[in-house]
Amino acid sequence: MDKIDYCFLILHYKDATMTEQTVSSILSLDKLQAYKIVIVDNASPDGSGARLRKKYQSNKNICLIKTDENQGFSKGNNLGYQYIKENFVPEFLICANNDVLFVQKDFLSRLKQLYIDMPFYVCGPDIYIPWRDFHANPLSSKSDKCTLKNVNKELAQIDQNLLSYKKRFSFRIFKLYIAQKARKNVLMQKIYQVLRSLQKRSSHKEVQENVILRGACLIFDQRFISEAHKLFEPETFLYGEEYILSFRCRKQHWKTVYFPEIVVDHIHEGNSKLDEMSYKKFCNYLEEKAEYQKEALIILKKYIEKGNG
């Protein structure tokens, strides 16, 4: 197997242009030597996977594999992870969404130095969302949030939410709908930014250990790759991966660290398409999302009850 410095794992679904932007930002990094980029096409139905394969077929450092069906976040990334473990021995594995841009040219040099100063099993960078002017990492500073008490509380809240969504009208859901519509207004965007700044959320400026890291960009060291059979385990389709990973690392005594010195941009506008949805479709979206979240929480609950890690 080839020993390499860096391996980038990108889960692709549908949007070839966005994935190409992510790959381009990686290829522009300084000190990019002895590397591989593994793109997992998660059964994109629009032919974008074939477009990427054609585009990068002449680059021996870029590999593209394809799933037979959309396997969701965990299984899709795990497929790429298995391919990497079977073919390469990377010093660092950088798992990133296909809507993440590596905006610091010296990102890799910074990463290596940070690892020397504070070795980790898993780390996360400052994930900046430009269109919201928001720093999304860490997801939570409380790694002990993954307790049965908290999970049961979240499950009860989701069941309550599902009742509201199925009613098709509630004042609370209607307020969410109006707020989402208002996000498209330039003035409202400015107001949201001011309100966020007043909250004085400054945790993104501090190095933090053993926190819950957002899954848009996660960096794993060689020890994790050597010891972990899967990247995400147990597997959920969507949502909950970060909490399960945090619980798993805490039980195994694998240090997780958030580093504000390394930064990526999360450029996708997320739920911006909700702006154009009717109220009925908005409720359908919330209901589907809640069902996925409930499924993930049930998996996490069983995992905690078994005491796995």
Side-chain angles (χ1 to χ4, degrees):
M1 292 192 292
D2 296 336
K3 288 188 176 182
I4 56 178
D5 294 333
Y6 311 100
C7 191
F8 294 84
L9 174 58
I10 302 169
L11 187 64
H12 166 79
Y13 186 70
K14 286 188 176 181
D15 197 330
T17 299
M18 190 166 289
T19 299
E20 289 168 358
Q21 290 178 339
T22 298
V23 172
S24 179
S25 73
I26 294 170
L27 295 176
S28 298
L29 293 174
D30 294 338
K31 308 294 183 181
L32 186 66
Q33 299 170 349
Y35 76 96
K36 296 290 180 181
I37 299 173
V38 176
I39 302 171
V40 178
D41 175 23
N42 209 3
S44 300
D46 61 351
S48 55
R51 167 178 159 178
L52 293 172
R53 185 180 297 277
K54 183 177 180 180
K55 181 178 180 66
Y56 298 119
Q57 61 184 355
S58 61
N59 190 327
K60 65 179 181 179
N61 290 317
I62 300 179
C63 315
L64 194 141
I65 57 180
K66 183 178 180 179
T67 63
D68 294 327
E69 60 181 3
N70 185 351
Q71 298 189 13
F73 182 87
S74 294
K75 287 185 178 180
N77 276 304
N78 281 341
L79 181 67
Y81 182 64
Q82 286 303 122
Y83 177 85
I84 291 166
K85 282 176 69 73
E86 291 169 4
N87 292 277
F88 315 116
V89 182
E91 185 176 352
F92 297 103
L93 169 59
I94 303 170
C95 180
N97 285 8
N98 73 321
D99 53 4
V100 164
L101 297 183
F102 293 83
V103 293
Q104 290 173 314
K105 295 295 183 182
D106 61 346
F107 182 93
L108 300 178
S109 299
R110 288 173 179 248
L111 173 63
K112 277 202 170 185
Q113 186 58 54
L114 289 169
Y115 187 78
I116 292 171
D117 296 338
M118 188 180 292
F120 56 81
Y121 271 76
V122 189
C123 87
D126 179 2
I127 299 175
Y128 179 64
I129 304 175
W131 72 280
R132 291 179 59 197
D133 188 25
F134 182 71
H135 298 265
N137 233 356
L139 183 59
S140 174
S141 60
K142 299 178 181 178
S143 63
D144 61 350
K145 193 174 182 179
C146 304
T147 63
L148 282 177
K149 180 180 179 180
N150 286 330
V151 170
N152 285 328
K153 183 178 179 181
E154 291 291 331
L155 281 169
Q157 183 61 57
I158 285 180
D159 283 336
Q160 184 178 343
N161 290 343
L162 282 169
L163 288 175
S164 297
Y165 305 150
K166 290 173 181 178
K167 285 179 182 178
R168 296 307 176 204
F169 185 84
S170 74
F171 185 63
R172 185 173 69 86
I173 304 305
F174 187 69
K175 284 198 299 183
L176 288 175
Y177 177 68
I178 295 300
Q180 183 62 46
K181 288 284 188 180
R183 286 182 182 274
K184 204 168 185 179
N185 181 277
V186 175
L187 177 60
M188 289 304 299
Q189 288 178 3
K190 294 294 183 183
I191 292 174
Y192 284 134
Q193 289 177 7
V194 170
L195 290 175
R196 281 195 294 269
S197 66
L198 291 175
Q199 291 174 354
K200 297 181 179 179
R201 185 182 187 275
S202 60
S203 60
H204 70 277
K205 298 179 181 179
E206 305 164 357
V207 174
Q208 298 179 60
E209 296 184 33
N210 300 319
V211 292
I212 300 176
L213 300 167
R214 194 170 291 273
C217 186
L218 292 165
I219 303 168
F220 304 85
D221 84 330
Q222 194 171 31
R223 294 172 301 168
F224 183 102
I225 299 167
S226 174
E227 297 175 35
H229 178 63
K230 292 183 178 181
L231 206 57
F232 300 104
E233 183 182 20
E235 297 168 328
T236 61
F237 188 81
L238 283 174
Y239 304 109
E241 302 89 359
E242 297 109 332
Y243 292 94
I244 294 174
L245 178 63
S246 173
F247 178 79
R248 183 177 165 206
C249 288
R250 185 158 52 92
K251 295 295 285 186
Q252 292 282 18
H253 304 290
W254 292 346
K255 181 187 286 188
T256 64
V257 185
Y258 163 71
F259 289 119
E261 294 92 343
I262 48 176
V263 183
V264 298
D265 280 359
H266 197 183
I267 60 172
H268 187 34
E269 294 194 3
N271 298 331
S272 59
K273 290 184 179 180
L274 296 179
D275 300 336
E276 302 169 3
M277 284 185 180
S278 64
Y279 179 76
K280 181 178 180 180
K281 288 184 177 179
F282 183 72
C283 287
N284 289 339
Y285 164 80
L286 292 179
E287 184 177 349
E288 182 180 26
K289 179 179 177 181
E291 292 287 2
Y292 279 129
Q293 290 173 326
K294 182 176 181 179
E295 179 185 351
L297 283 169
I298 290 172
I299 291 172
L300 174 57
K301 181 179 178 179
K302 291 179 179 178
Y303 190 58
I304 294 173
E305 288 174 335
K306 288 180 180 179
N308 291 326

